[in-house]
Amino acid sequence: MPAASRRRFLSQGVALSGAIATGRGIAGDAKSDTPPGEPAWSRSLGAPILASPYGVPSRYEANTVRRQSPGLTRTPHSSVAFTPLASLFGIITPSGLHFERHHAGVPDVDPRAHRLIVHGLVREPRIYTMDDLVRFPSVSRIHFIECGANSGMEWANAAVPGVQYSHGMLGCSEWTGVPLAVLLEEAGFDRKRARYVLAEGADGASLTRTIPIEFALDDVIVAYAQNGEMLRPEQGYPVRLIVPGVQGVSSVKWLRRLEVGDAPWNTREESLHYVDLMPNGVHRQYTWIQEAKSVITSPSGGQTIAARGYQEIRGLAWSGRGRVKRVDVSTDGGRNWRTATLQEPILPKALARFRCDWRWQGEPAFLQSRVIDETGYVQPSIAALREVRGKRSIYHNNAIQTWRVAASGEVSNVQLG
Ligand SMILES: Nc1nc2c(c(=O)[nH]1)N[C@H]1C(S)=C(S)[C@@H](COP(=O)(O)O)O[C@H]1N2
Ligand SMILES: [Mo]
């Protein structure tokens, strides 16, 4: 849209929100034309420094929290708490809001007592302390983690009210640690025979996952820090694996063991769980990559559009195969598409933020976003995905999400066709 008409387009919205501010202003004085009076916080001293030595959000943001989906799991130890995607901005998930998924709760690991063993097809098995790991050459990179079961409740029908539950097993952080390749070199892994690495956690679940050696030598990080500080306990303190682009379960937390081998281990978490039941009744095993996916986070299910006029459409897009190339947005259920604006930087295997101008005039609408990644892969509709995958899967649902906007402004989760 040309600059001049874009200004006109926006000015209407600005005038409108101005009107709202006067009507519900802090002075609550709609009769007067004078600016609102000075509130109490402008006439007194505020809290002293160190009122909270580790900063916490404003008390007015108390609704922006992780939540569990009622009735989803039987215990709070083998469970999941979802990221509040609708309340977040940009591409970094604040550490305290990063979704959590544990098989046996959050262990209280003492970093002084924790050890990481590297063994198997290596010349010299090693045992590392945290001090050893932090001393090694390090990298910091921004990557998403998405649980393979994200959107898993939506295979048969639109099941959950909003984006926190439909897409909230998703987070994106700056991770710092040692490249796994450095540790494998250090132990002298057998280049001829090494084909896989097994990663094992120190939690009560002893969670284990097989990782192909190509991934291990490429961009996998043995990470001890997240968003500038040591990992949070929920995210695997003091050390976890980050396997970029691969389903979350492979990013083993509280990492205690790495074994180099020549065949997949076929452990419980890769034969009983994290398999995809296909329409022909056969289970697909070892689905590594999280295919390209996107979702509109605002307006999204459970929200109500307060007023007609300008309403920016915002969302997130990502691909386990690399960078996001383009995101298209539709407001009529996929009949017409417009190209969204992508916020720089666009990083490989990281969340990307997209935006699109929209003016809502009170008409019922069906909002959708569709991502295309740098490999040319196009995010499928739920109907197209079901053609291939059927309705009985739990994992790897990357279908286009539809939000219905009613004439009242209420937004809800629906599936079309
Ligand atoms: N040791 C261990 N690692 C684990 C898990 C676990 O229960 N134990 N859960 C896995 C699953 S299923 C996911 S989706 C991610 C979630 O990472 P997060 O809790 O940091 O969001 O961790 C993975 N790593
Ligand atoms: Mo997961």
Side-chain angles (χ1 to χ4, degrees):
M1 167 180 326
S5 64
R6 190 165 199 279
R7 266 197 304 278
R8 269 202 307 281
F9 180 66
L10 288 172
S11 65
Q12 201 187 5
V14 171
L16 188 63
S17 57
I20 290 171
T22 318
R24 302 184 202 148
I26 35 178
D29 184 9
K31 290 169 286 183
S32 153
D33 287 338
T34 54
E38 285 204 315
W41 57 80
S42 300
R43 285 181 270 113
S44 55
L45 279 173
I49 58 158
L50 293 180
S52 130
Y54 193 105
V56 294
S58 160
R59 61 195 174 99
Y60 300 104
E61 299 300 325
N63 270 327
T64 302
V65 289
R66 294 188 280 233
R67 287 192 174 84
Q68 56 176 319
S69 185
L72 184 62
T73 60
R74 269 176 297 171
T75 81
H77 295 96
S78 179
S79 193
V80 54
F82 297 80
T83 304
L85 295 175
S87 308
L88 302 184
F89 305 90
I91 61 169
I92 299 292
T93 311
S95 303
L97 297 175
H98 194 284
F99 81 100
E100 4 168 6
R101 168 78 182 101
H102 322 300
H103 289 67
V106 182
D108 181 22
V109 180
D110 177 349
R112 289 162 306 185
H114 186 71
R115 298 289 180 274
L116 171 63
I117 176 166
V118 183
H119 69 148
L121 299 177
V122 299
R123 203 174 48 242
E124 262 185 84
R126 303 268 187 177
I127 297 182
Y128 296 117
T129 64
M130 282 311 297
D131 285 345
D132 294 333
L133 295 177
V134 174
R135 205 159 40 83
F136 274 118
S138 60
V139 288
S140 294
R141 285 204 314 268
I142 295 174
H143 288 300
F144 73 79
I145 297 181
E146 182 185 21
C147 178
N150 202 21
S151 314
M153 291 173 276
E154 304 281 302
W155 274 106
N157 54 283
V160 298
V163 73
Q164 182 158 13
Y165 302 127
S166 66
H167 289 75
M169 283 197 253
L170 175 70
C172 185
S173 299
E174 185 199 58
W175 306 101
T176 298
V178 196
L180 176 53
V182 169
L183 296 185
L184 295 179
E185 293 284 349
E186 195 48 32
F189 74 101
D190 185 332
R191 284 175 192 282
K192 289 222 181 68
R193 292 167 62 209
R195 299 216 22 234
Y196 297 93
V197 176
L198 184 77
E200 182 182 82
D203 51 335
S206 302
L207 185 124
T208 40
R209 284 295 301 190
T210 298
I211 293 146
I213 194 80
E214 310 85 80
F215 296 9
L217 296 177
D218 179 14
D219 55 3
V220 176
I221 308 174
V222 175
Y224 41 79
Q226 174 189 14
N227 298 331
E229 61 183 355
M230 288 300 284
L231 292 174
R232 295 291 174 90
E234 300 91 316
Q235 261 67 60
Y237 181 90
V239 63
R240 81 178 299 169
L241 218 51
I242 294 292
V243 187
V246 171
Q247 59 174 332
V249 67
S250 298
S251 289
V252 173
K253 302 189 280 191
W254 314 291
L255 183 68
R256 73 167 173 205
R257 190 166 75 89
L258 291 165
E259 181 180 346
V260 180
D262 55 8
W265 277 262
N266 211 7
T267 68
R268 177 177 177 274
E269 300 299 341
E270 27 197 42
S271 48
L272 268 180
H273 303 291
Y274 302 94
V275 291
D276 298 308
L277 181 55
M278 304 299 273
N280 63 2
V282 174
H283 275 108
R284 184 175 75 178
Q285 211 182 352
Y286 292 121
T287 308
W288 316 106
I289 305 290
Q290 294 295 107
E291 298 290 357
K293 186 164 168 181
S294 71
V295 67
I296 292 170
T297 54
S298 175
S300 64
Q303 297 182 331
T304 301
I305 302 179
R308 294 174 187 206
Y310 185 80
Q311 179 72 46
E312 189 175 65
I313 294 175
R314 299 172 182 160
L316 294 166
W318 62 101
S319 168
R321 295 197 187 274
R323 289 185 169 80
V324 164
K325 189 166 84 188
R326 199 179 89 206
V327 176
D328 298 325
V329 166
S330 174
T331 56
D332 58 9
R335 252 173 241 125
N336 297 287
W337 295 94
R338 284 187 290 149
T339 303
T341 304
L342 292 179
Q343 171 70 59
E344 297 283 339
I346 307 296
L347 303 167
K349 308 176 190 178
L351 295 186
R353 175 64 66 174
F354 68 85
R355 310 190 168 93
C356 197
D357 288 329
W358 188 40
R359 193 154 59 182
W360 184 62
Q361 303 290 32
E363 75 282 7
F366 292 93
L367 307 181
Q368 296 184 334
S369 66
R370 175 180 72 187
V371 62
I372 299 160
D373 73 13
E374 64 181 339
T375 71
Y377 177 95
V378 184
Q379 185 182 7
S381 67
I382 183 72
L385 196 60
R386 280 201 197 109
E387 290 276 305
V388 184
R389 299 278 308 279
K391 287 185 178 183
R392 292 186 295 164
S393 276
I394 299 171
Y395 304 99
H396 308 109
N397 176 358
N398 68 323
I400 291 172
Q401 170 67 41
T402 308
W403 303 120
R404 174 177 178 269
V405 181
S408 62
E410 281 167 73
V411 188
S412 57
N413 182 10
V414 297
Q415 290 186 358
L416 300 179

